[in-house]
Amino acid sequence: RKTMNSTALGLLMDHGADCSITAISTMAYLQIVNPSLGWVSLAFVLLFMVFFIVTLEEYYFEALDFPIINAVNEGTTSTFFILLLGVFLGNEVYQHELVFGLNVYQVIFIGLFALIVLQCLYIVIRLLVNFPAKDVLLKLSLFSFVCVSAFLVFFWTDNEITTHRTKVPMYIYTILFSRVIISIMIAHIFKSNFDQFQVFPLLLSTIMILLVLVEKFALDGKP
């Protein structure tokens, strides 16, 4: 990039690989820290959220313009140092109560989540100010729908798969989130319109939502 020799294919391979790495590294990180299911799912969804919002910013502005403190650089760096705690003190350190009844990992997660939310809000506000609000909101709609589906699956179910095989829904949503993010990357590269009405993410997210609704209202309390 510094020598102006980067290519569209390089951009796609770089950020495209990051989609999978984000999921795999998050799963590894969560397995080390061992948080509760709610914190696991929130961390998973928010990390993909900042990934998508940053990619959307690049789609509109033709460049990445990170604030001085951002979730990508500071978040990655702080995660590295947080993991060093486990190296020197053992992974059980993350479960120790720190302040206000919160464990070490909960305080860390709250700080990282705040950083992610602030950066996402900063980017979305910039987009709404500089581009037609209707178009920006439409571009956000597909990813938002997938996020709603993920939150319902993680937070509103108590079935065996979600509670004891958490990686299964994580893999499903890795595919969904990656599909949407890579699609907007391709739209950015080829200067084309990002299609927010893609059949695969819409259909699979809808199926996941319906499964949750069936479980909650038709199967709960039944053998």
Side-chain angles (χ1 to χ4, degrees), residues 122-193:
Y122 167 76
I123 294 173
V124 170
I125 290 171
R126 285 186 68 217
L127 293 174
L128 292 174
V129 168
N130 291 280
F131 300 94
K134 181 180 178 181
D135 185 63
V136 173
L137 294 175
L138 277 174
K139 295 294 186 291
L140 286 166
S141 61
L142 177 60
F143 189 84
S144 300
F145 184 67
V146 178
C147 284
V148 169
S149 172
F151 279 121
L152 284 178
V153 168
F154 283 115
F155 286 99
W156 216 27
T157 58
D158 52 8
N159 60 63
E160 175 74 15
I161 293 176
T162 305
T163 55
H164 296 98
R165 302 288 185 271
T166 311
K167 287 183 180 178
V168 173
M170 278 187 171
Y171 284 126
I172 293 172
Y173 281 100
T174 294
I175 295 170
L176 281 170
F177 286 134
S178 298
R179 169 65 180 268
V180 178
I181 291 169
I182 291 174
S183 294
I184 204 166
M185 288 177 193
I186 294 173
H188 161 64
I189 291 169
F190 291 101
K191 313 296 183 187
S192 59
N193 185 55

Side-chain angles (χ1 to χ4, degrees), residues 83-124:
L83 290 176
L84 284 180
L85 287 176
V87 173
F88 293 110
L89 302 176
N91 291 347
E92 62 275 4
V93 68
Y94 303 115
Q95 304 298 327
H96 291 172
E97 186 174 322
L98 186 61
V99 63
F100 301 126
L102 297 172
N103 296 337
V104 171
Y105 83 81
Q106 293 172 327
V107 174
I108 292 170
F109 278 26
I110 289 171
L112 291 174
F113 293 166
L115 191 59
I116 289 172
V117 171
L118 286 174
Q119 182 171 358
C120 288
L121 285 175
Y122 167 76
I123 294 173
V124 170

Side-chain angles (χ1 to χ4, degrees), residues 7-80:
T7 64
L9 180 60
L11 172 68
L12 184 60
M13 292 182 68
D14 180 14
H15 293 326
D18 285 344
C19 286
S20 299
I21 293 171
T22 296
I24 295 170
S25 60
T26 302
M27 289 182 201
Y29 177 73
L30 294 172
Q31 192 162 355
I32 292 169
V33 177
N34 193 28
S36 62
L37 178 60
W39 292 91
V40 167
S41 51
L42 191 59
F44 189 74
V45 174
L46 285 179
L47 282 170
F48 273 109
M49 182 183 297
V50 71
F51 201 148
F52 175 79
I53 297 295
V54 166
T55 307
L56 186 66
E57 177 186 37
E58 189 175 30
Y59 170 84
Y60 276 104
F61 286 105
E62 300 287 333
L64 294 174
D65 182 22
F66 288 168
I68 296 175
I69 299 176
N70 60 81
V72 178
N73 295 328
E74 278 65 36
T76 304
T77 305
S78 61
T79 298
F80 170 76

